[in-house]
């Protein structure tokens, strides 16, 4: 307040009263009304079903669900959505690869081309298809093989997601945009508003360049420069196949027309330009994309024994998210992939993630919850209750922890407004850092501890357990009571 400041201080009596308030709120503690009555959609992962979820793509899954959980804590009703491209060249390549594996499983002489999918998972699918169909598909083209492989891949993807506590509400099929003619409707509307032209090169190119390329088959271009782009973009290739841009615009039109108050896309950093073109396409169609937000993330690398693991879905050389869960745990995967800002490079240290020591932040945070649970087991064994505790006996160190715990609502609000779920992970570690030294000094039970003081401390630790259970749940992690 000019020309100075006003300092507010929380009274200790009020802070003591928050202990019971935290306990009473329980799993709803720090739930906000920021998004009350509002619908949010978070679209994430959205990998083409051409192979299992690799470690490289796993960050998008955790960031997406982490964002959804933060928005839910802020009061939004959230739809988790997976958009998959099952209408493009990659899926045709998958079908062709699957067909070769099927013929091989029948004992036929067939070889995979170098540009086909080499993963051994297709061999397993082929054996299953032979058991189901025999040689009935021997003369079929790639289409039924693509459909079978796609179905199997989605079963695998869903199972993998379940292992880390993720369930999608909607799987949006790109084919649906072609079945409904939505893709071509978008093109027609852009044409009607003079945002489309046909040419072998961009219309801004010099006449000599146009002359040099006159013999080529023309493509269809979107005048995205009218909306701030540095160049126009092809939306239908010269072979009359749409680029990714056209169905992506149609998909986002569908999103907007479903009436979400907030839409969030979790995309790799390599999709930055595409996301901007889609936004310009929406503006060109007369839509307001101001409630559409995109989180661009850097990919993750797995590091073990100081070496980076190499991955390639196409070549069949990869480590999957399933492998990572097997080597570490669901909770390690969730925390390590959430803990850094999406735009920062992330190396997943497998060696650190498997350590059962305070060096491992997952262990350190969960151990705080375990310690609280242990206190209550001890209290139950002693038939000791915290009901009616005199909270005036709670000491200053415990009140400092409660003060830190009360920051959670602010952290959730910031994370929801900025779409930065990693801030919850950072806060959880700060909370654990404040808890453990205090726990070592302020024991609930022990020789010489007055029973009334012990009762007050037990009440405090009940609130502390609520806080750790809450932050672990928001991060999608488990709340163990023993370790």
């Amino acid at each position: 307040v000019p020309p100075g400041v006003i300092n507010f201080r929380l009274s200790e009596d009020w802070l003591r009263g928050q202990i019971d308030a935290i306990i009473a709120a329980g799993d709803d503690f720090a739930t906000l009304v920021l998004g009350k009555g509002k619908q949010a959609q978070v679209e994430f992962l959205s990998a083409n079903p051409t192979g299992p979820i690799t470690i490289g793509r796993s960050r998008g899954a955790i960031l997406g669900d982490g964002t959804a959980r933060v928005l839910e804590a802020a009061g939004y009703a959230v739809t988790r959505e997976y958009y998959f491209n099952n209408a493009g060249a990659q899926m045709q390549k998958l079908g062709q690869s699957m067909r070769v594996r099927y013929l091989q499983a029948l004992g036929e002489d067939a070889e995979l081309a170098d540009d086909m999918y080499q993963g051994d998972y297709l061999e397993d699918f082929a054996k299953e298809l032979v058991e189901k169909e025999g040689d009935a598909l021997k003369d079929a083209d790639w289409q039924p093989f693509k459909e079978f492989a796609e179905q199997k891949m989605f079963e695998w993807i869903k199972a993998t997601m379940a292992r880390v506590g993720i369930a999608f509400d909607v799987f949006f099929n790109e084919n649906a945009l072609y079945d409904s003619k939505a893709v071509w409707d978008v093109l027609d509307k852009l044409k009607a508003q003079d945002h489309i032209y046909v040419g072998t090169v961009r219309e801004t190119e010099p006449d000599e360049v146009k002359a040099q390329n006159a013999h080529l088959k023309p493509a269809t271009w979107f005048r995205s420069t009218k909306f701030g782009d540095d160049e126009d973009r092809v939306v239908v290739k010269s072979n009359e196949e749409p680029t990714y841009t056209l169905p992506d615009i149609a998909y986002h039109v569908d999103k907007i027309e479903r009436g979400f108050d907030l839409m969030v896309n979790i995309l790799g950093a390599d999709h930055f330009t595409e996301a901007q073109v889609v936004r310009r396409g929406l503006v060109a169609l007369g839509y307001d994309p101001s409630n559409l937000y995109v989180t661009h993330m850097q990919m993750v690398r797995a590091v073990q024994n100081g070496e980076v693991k190499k991955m390639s879905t196409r070549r069949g050389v990869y480590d999957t998210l399933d492998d990572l869960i097997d080597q570490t745990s669901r909770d390690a995967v969730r925390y390590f992939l959430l803990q850094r800002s999406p735009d920062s490079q992330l190396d997943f240290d497998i060696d650190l993630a498997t350590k059962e020591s305070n060096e491992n932040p997952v262990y350190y945070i969960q151990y705080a919850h375990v310690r609280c649970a242990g206190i209550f087991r001890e209290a139950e064994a002693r038939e000791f209750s915290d009901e009616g505790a005199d909270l005036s006996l709670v000491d200053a160190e415990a009140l400092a922890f409660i003060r830190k715990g009360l920051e959670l609502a602010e952290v959730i609000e910031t994370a929801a407004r900025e779409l930065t779920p990693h801030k919850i992970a950072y806060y959880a570690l700060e909370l654990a850092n404040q808890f453990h030294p205090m726990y070592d000094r302020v024991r609930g039970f022990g020789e010489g501890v007055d029973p009334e003081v012990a009762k007050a401390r037990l009440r405090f630790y009940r609130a502390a357990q609520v806080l750790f259970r809450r932050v672990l749940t928001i991060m999608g992690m488990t709340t163990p009571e023993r370790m």
Side-chain angles (χ1 to χ4, degrees), residues 3 19 119 188 192 200 247 298 319 321 351 397 411 446:
I19 293 174
D188 289 342
T200 56
Q298 300 292 332
D319 282 286
L321 178 54
D351 299 318
E397 196 166 9
V411 175

Side-chain angles (χ1 to χ4, degrees), residues 337-396:
L337 293 179
L338 190 67
Q339 66 176 331
R340 298 281 299 279
S341 173
D343 58 5
S344 64
Q345 294 287 342
L346 177 59
D347 286 345
F348 190 111
D349 188 336
I350 292 176
D351 299 318
L352 177 60
T354 53
K355 280 188 177 180
E356 295 184 0
S357 73
N358 291 344
E359 293 176 69
N360 181 351
V362 177
Y363 179 91
Y364 196 58
I365 296 165
Q366 288 184 318
Y367 188 42
H369 184 271
V370 168
R371 281 182 140 178
C372 291
I375 291 171
F376 291 108
R377 285 195 298 273
E378 177 68 15
E380 186 177 357
R382 295 170 179 248
E383 298 183 348
F384 192 88
S385 171
D386 60 338
E387 289 298 321
D390 180 0
L391 296 179
S392 68
L393 300 175
V394 173
D395 58 45

